[in-house]
Amino acid sequence: NDYWDHVDWVLGEAAARGLYLALLPTWGSVVKTGALNERNAADYARFLARRYKSRPNVVWVLGGDAKGDEHLETWRILGRTLRAEAPEHLITFHPFGRTQSSTWFHAEPWLDFNMFQSGHRRYDQDDTPKHFGEDNWRYVLDDYRKDPPKPVVDGEPSYEGIPQGLHDATQPYWTDADARRYAYWSVFAGAFGHTYGNNAVMQFHGPDSGAGDYSPRRFWYEAIDDPGAGQMRHLAALMLSRPFFERVHDATVVVSGSGPRHAHVIATRGADYEMVYSYIGKRFEIRLAVISGTSVRAWWYNPRDGSAQPIGLLKNSGTRWFAPPGQSAEDHDWVLVLDDASRNYAQPGSAPRTR
């Protein structure tokens, strides 16, 4: 069996488990060196599309830590050819750190959804023009201002277990708390999902790997059980326990208590529910009556373990302060969930809704 036979097998095994695979025709470095170029890109994309067009669990991801304006036409050829040959597959572009696919390809008809890379740097390490720093929610809102709006996702936030800034092992390492913050911030801003990453797992760092890249401290078979990986399921459970496709970001909900950087409090809502996320667990004031119902049923949802604590029934009018359980701290994040009481929703994070 050759390489392509193995790719066939992997796709089949993934499909048997209900998994979609994001396939990159090439990493960006192969285009940068010129090995893949304007002369051979169409032939390569045609080969890929024809081989895998019947596979329903493929999403094509062009780029790969690449800036789209470098070798722009090569990327366009890949996108146009994949769309023409396999029109049922979704296509996006994985950009360089702290950049967005929308910068170069938003108007391209083959780009189905946008992707940005919020990257691995702290606020004080960010030297990019927009200077969004760790505020990955800003990229989501920035992309939704474009016309026409397209779905968007953070394709590479700071990975759990990787040095802050990426290359210097003397710096602090990103933790599960940071992974949660990136996830809830971007999803509550309107991202359609989230990408979790782990330093050791993404490179399958093992005993025979030497020092590895980006100074991993664990082997992949240990890191695969890191807390951040398990906690991502709680975000998915929360989102799917309420009507998903009507959900929007709403900046008008939070009246007071939100601050800069890690103190940012962000809200998302549907027609009859709303959720407010605070990373530092500090009290905040919100505006009620933005959802239906004369009264709301309130909950605290714990992103660390997926548990929910009832607050009780409240009048759905005016404004109100809410104080998350426990002491305020950097990694003491909580989600306030308010439901139209007449809807009789189950507790947050329970069985998925179908509406």
Side-chain angles (χ1 to χ4, degrees):
N1 294 335
D2 66 9
Y3 172 84
W4 299 106
D5 292 324
H6 185 64
V7 176
D8 298 345
W9 177 84
V10 170
L11 275 167
E13 291 296 305
R17 292 159 174 80
L19 297 175
Y20 284 74
L21 297 188
L23 299 185
L24 283 86
T26 176
W27 199 244
S29 56
V30 179
V31 174
K32 188 174 182 178
T33 63
L36 187 65
N37 53 60
E38 295 180 31
R39 296 183 300 277
N40 58 21
D43 287 339
Y44 180 48
R46 195 174 297 115
F47 161 77
L48 292 173
R50 291 178 179 177
R51 188 175 185 108
Y52 298 114
K53 66 188 303 181
S54 64
R55 302 277 188 162
N57 60 327
V58 170
V59 177
W60 292 112
V61 182
L62 308 185
D65 270 345
K67 295 181 179 179
D69 55 355
E70 298 176 355
H71 310 282
L72 180 64
E73 190 56 29
T74 299
W75 299 120
R76 284 175 169 166
I77 292 170
L78 287 170
R80 290 197 300 262
T81 308
L82 288 170
R83 173 47 39 83
E85 296 287 341
E88 300 302 316
H89 289 161
L90 296 175
I91 307 173
T92 189
F93 183 91
H94 180 289
F96 191 74
R98 298 277 163 90
T99 64
Q100 303 151 266
S101 63
S102 60
T103 301
W104 313 287
F105 302 115
H106 187 78
E108 295 288 337
W110 50 262
L111 189 87
D112 296 301
F113 62 93
N114 278 308
M115 181 179 288
F116 62 92
Q117 181 187 164
S118 59
H120 308 275
R121 296 182 180 183
R122 296 190 306 264
Y123 291 105
D124 62 313
Q125 296 170 327
D126 186 4
D127 58 0
T128 56
K130 291 184 176 179
H131 211 68
F132 287 165
E134 299 170 37
D135 294 346
N136 67 339
W137 54 273
R138 296 184 187 274
Y139 290 99
V140 179
L141 300 185
D142 188 63
D143 270 353
Y144 278 135
R145 294 187 188 102
K146 295 177 171 61
D147 187 33
K150 292 184 176 182
V152 61
V153 68
D154 189 347
E156 189 174 335
S158 296
Y159 288 171
E160 188 172 10
I162 207 167
Q164 296 178 8
L166 199 60
H167 300 291
D168 185 356
T170 66
Q171 295 294 312
Y173 277 53
W174 296 109
T175 69
D176 60 306
D178 301 303
R180 293 195 309 272
R181 172 167 46 82
Y182 281 109
Y184 281 81
W185 269 359
S186 63
V187 169
F188 276 40
F192 66 81
H194 189 68
T195 308
Y196 164 84
N198 186 291
N199 186 19
V201 176
M202 66 97 174
Q203 58 184 296
F204 285 96
H205 181 66
D208 58 349
S209 302
D213 294 324
Y214 313 117
S215 309
R217 291 174 169 175
R218 293 158 63 77
F219 297 136
W220 74 267
Y221 46 81
E222 301 167 326
I224 203 168
D225 292 320
D226 279 355
Q231 291 160 355
M232 291 299 109
R233 74 186 70 178
H234 304 319
L235 173 58
L238 175 63
M239 293 295 100
L240 296 177
S241 67
R242 300 294 183 267
F244 182 80
F245 290 105
E246 68 184 47
R247 184 181 61 83
V248 295
H249 169 257
D250 191 340
T252 71
V253 168
V254 181
V255 178
S256 302
S258 182
R261 299 191 171 187
H262 290 177
H264 181 65
V265 178
I266 191 167
T268 188
R269 65 168 179 84
D272 51 23
Y273 72 93
E274 61 186 300
M275 304 174 183
V276 185
Y277 174 76
S278 170
Y279 173 64
I280 63 174
K282 189 176 180 180
R283 76 186 196 113
F284 51 83
E285 182 186 17
I286 68 165
R287 182 169 62 91
L288 296 165
V290 297
I291 61 173
S292 63
T294 57
S295 62
V296 293
R297 189 175 304 279
W299 306 80
W300 286 114
Y301 184 77
N302 188 334
R304 297 172 295 286
D305 62 13
S307 63
Q309 303 178 23
I311 299 174
L313 285 174
L314 307 172
K315 188 177 180 180
N316 190 23
S317 63
T319 66
R320 188 182 184 99
W321 284 89
F322 290 87
Q327 298 296 314
S328 174
E330 278 281 308
D331 60 351
H332 199 60
D333 46 345
W334 288 92
V335 178
L336 173 69
V337 181
L338 301 179
D339 297 319
D340 178 343
S342 68
R343 300 299 295 166
N344 292 317
Y345 285 133
Q347 74 174 40
S350 57
R353 300 285 300 184
T354 57
R355 181 169 68 84

